[in-house]
Amino acid sequence: MAQAIDRLPDDPNELKAMLLAERARNERLVQIIKEMQRHRFGRRAETLPEDQMLLALEEVEQTEAGAAAATEAKSAAEREKAARKRRTNRGALPAHLPRIETIVDIDEKACPCCKGALHRIGEDVSERLDIVPAQFRVLVTLRPKYACRACEGAVVQAPAPARLIEGGLPTEATVAHVLVSKYADHLPLYRQAQIYARQGVALDRSTLADWVGRAAWHLRPVHERLLEHIRSSTKIFADETRAPVLDPGRGRTKTGQLWAYARDDRPFGGADPPIAVYVYAQNRKSEQPLTHLAGFTGVVQVDGYAGYRALAQKNSVSLAFCWSHVRRRFYELAAAGPAPIASEALARIGALYAIESDIRGQNPDDRRAARQEKSRPILDALEPWLREKLALISQKTKLAEAIRYALSRWDGLTRFVDDGRIEIDSNIVERAIRPIALNRKNALFAGSDEGASYCSSGDILINQEGFGADFEISDAVGAARRLHGGHRPAARRRAGLSTAPRGTVAQLGANRW
């Protein structure tokens, strides 16, 4: 300790400078620690997801319902009161559900007073929601054989219909159910095998994996077709997320990347329906989006990742950046404690979002006019204000990093003001990529690069429904099988897109998504 003191300078000004630098360093370290604590123990988003809030309320609601049931069991008046309340609030059941009627009639049709014949004057109708548990069934295909009594060698039989998996057990609907359970409900295959075993059907995990892999191969043309739609669009979103992949021989996983590309023109009333496409790659290098979006011309809305800048070097592509990522950095500072500058930045950014809320769904020209009138003045005042505050604070703080992050991307952040098609953030593609993160938590990692690539084919279809697409996955699996024509050349020649059902490759135009 004494030696350390001896090395300190005697000049008071130097000591003050050292103290200020050390304080700035400590403030930055404290901020980093708070951020790590929040990341480790706190909620990850600025607003708690609705599903998480509902999860927290479930136990309270269950306890309340149990207490209410106990009270109603003791009082007929309470039971009647609760029944009237449920009848008022439950709403109508969907009209498309099949109705199975049960008539509860009186035994005696004679009047209890005069014994005269009763006649029907009306009825009370009530509906309850019932469920038939999912069950397996066996589809038996019979192919009669015919022979000629005069010709011994003539045996005639209809050809066997093509199957998704030749010689296999599953129908297209069965494979579709496995895909939906894996990619939409995030059930790993070993859990599905346990569920099926409870119904007396023994399906090994490796068998289910074989079905998924073959279905993914059949769906590759659909994947490519959707990616073509993305490339032909004029404004898309892009994002990427980790995809842990087993790395044989090293005893650990490596980090691949699942890139997401989305189109959603609904915020400005566009006619093209939404699409989300996922592409697996072994790394996060800038060459990946260049390959995936080869031939694309237009606007790509992204987060601040520098890997997308290679796209901007092409004269045909413009980058629009995400205000949500800018806001998140200031929010982390404000959530950690008193932060006047960060709080003021949040308020100004919030004013931009309030304007966006008012104009959502309007046509591009009206959105651009509103932004020019209302958003432009806010942005024109925000940039010099950020530069002024940046000059007043230590350049080593997290606040300085947040300000520099915004200023270094200012052109892309303000591009939405001049183009009514562009959104203020890239939350659309972040929502599209969220199911991938949920599946990653359950599956932990993919077994290989090829397996991760197959995941992108499965995810692309399963998650279209949540993205607003009109799609039947079982139809898609069957259509993809028809496209490939099974495994027989004759069947492949007979295959025709005109005979494919709803949701096939031939129909994956703008009117289907």
Side-chain angles (χ1 to χ4, degrees), residues 54-286:
L54 296 178
L55 186 63
L57 292 174
E58 282 182 3
E59 295 294 336
V60 176
E61 292 172 337
Q62 292 170 9
T63 302
E64 182 182 359
T71 302
E72 294 167 13
K74 300 176 182 178
S75 171
E78 288 295 329
R79 286 198 300 273
E80 179 60 27
K81 180 180 178 181
R84 286 197 304 270
K85 183 178 180 181
R86 282 191 286 269
R87 292 190 193 103
T88 303
N89 296 333
R90 69 184 182 183
L93 294 174
H96 70 274
L97 296 179
R99 261 64 176 176
I100 300 176
E101 294 185 353
T102 301
I103 299 176
V104 181
D105 206 350
I106 59 177
D107 296 328
E108 181 61 45
K109 300 294 179 67
C111 176
C113 298
C114 66
K115 302 303 180 181
L118 298 176
H119 66 279
R120 187 169 180 171
I121 61 174
E123 62 187 9
D124 290 334
V125 179
S126 62
E127 293 186 340
R128 295 183 300 162
L129 183 63
D130 189 28
I131 185 171
V132 179
Q135 61 181 6
F136 288 96
R137 64 180 183 179
V138 179
L139 300 185
V140 180
T141 302
L142 301 177
R143 295 190 296 128
K145 294 182 178 180
Y146 298 91
C148 177
R149 297 184 183 276
C151 305
E152 295 182 359
V155 177
V156 181
Q157 185 182 34
R163 296 187 179 188
L164 177 66
I165 300 174
E166 291 295 339
L169 293 175
T171 63
E172 285 87 349
T174 303
V175 176
H177 179 78
V178 173
L179 290 174
V180 170
S181 298
K182 177 177 174 62
Y183 295 111
D185 299 331
H186 316 295
L187 279 175
L189 296 181
Y190 78 91
R191 293 184 188 173
Q192 294 189 50
Q194 294 170 353
I195 293 172
Y196 303 149
R198 290 202 300 266
Q199 299 190 44
V201 179
L203 292 173
D204 191 76
R205 180 202 56 78
S206 61
T207 300
L208 298 178
D210 180 73
W211 295 357
V212 171
R214 292 178 181 275
W217 180 82
H218 282 293
L219 292 170
R220 286 293 177 88
V222 183
H223 182 281
E224 289 299 323
R225 177 63 170 163
L226 292 178
L227 194 54
E228 288 176 11
H229 278 297
I230 287 289
R231 295 190 186 109
S232 64
S233 304
T234 58
K235 186 192 72 68
I236 62 172
F237 301 85
D239 198 3
E240 75 290 331
T241 188
R242 293 184 300 106
V245 177
L246 192 63
D247 194 3
R250 301 182 64 187
R252 59 180 183 178
T253 61
K254 60 182 179 181
T255 302
Q257 294 290 325
L258 203 59
W259 298 77
Y261 303 99
R263 179 188 73 193
D264 191 352
D265 297 343
R266 291 174 295 183
F268 61 85
D272 290 336
I275 300 175
V277 181
Y278 308 91
V279 184
Y280 172 76
Q282 297 185 30
N283 55 58
R284 200 187 181 201
K285 295 180 180 179
S286 59

Side-chain angles (χ1 to χ4, degrees), residues 31 45 71 133 138 150 200 229 233 277 293-294 331 348 364 375 392 412 457 473:
Q31 185 60 46
T71 302
V138 179
H229 278 297
S233 304
V277 181
L293 300 178
Y331 172 81
R348 298 190 182 211
S375 301
L392 298 176
S457 295
I473 180 62

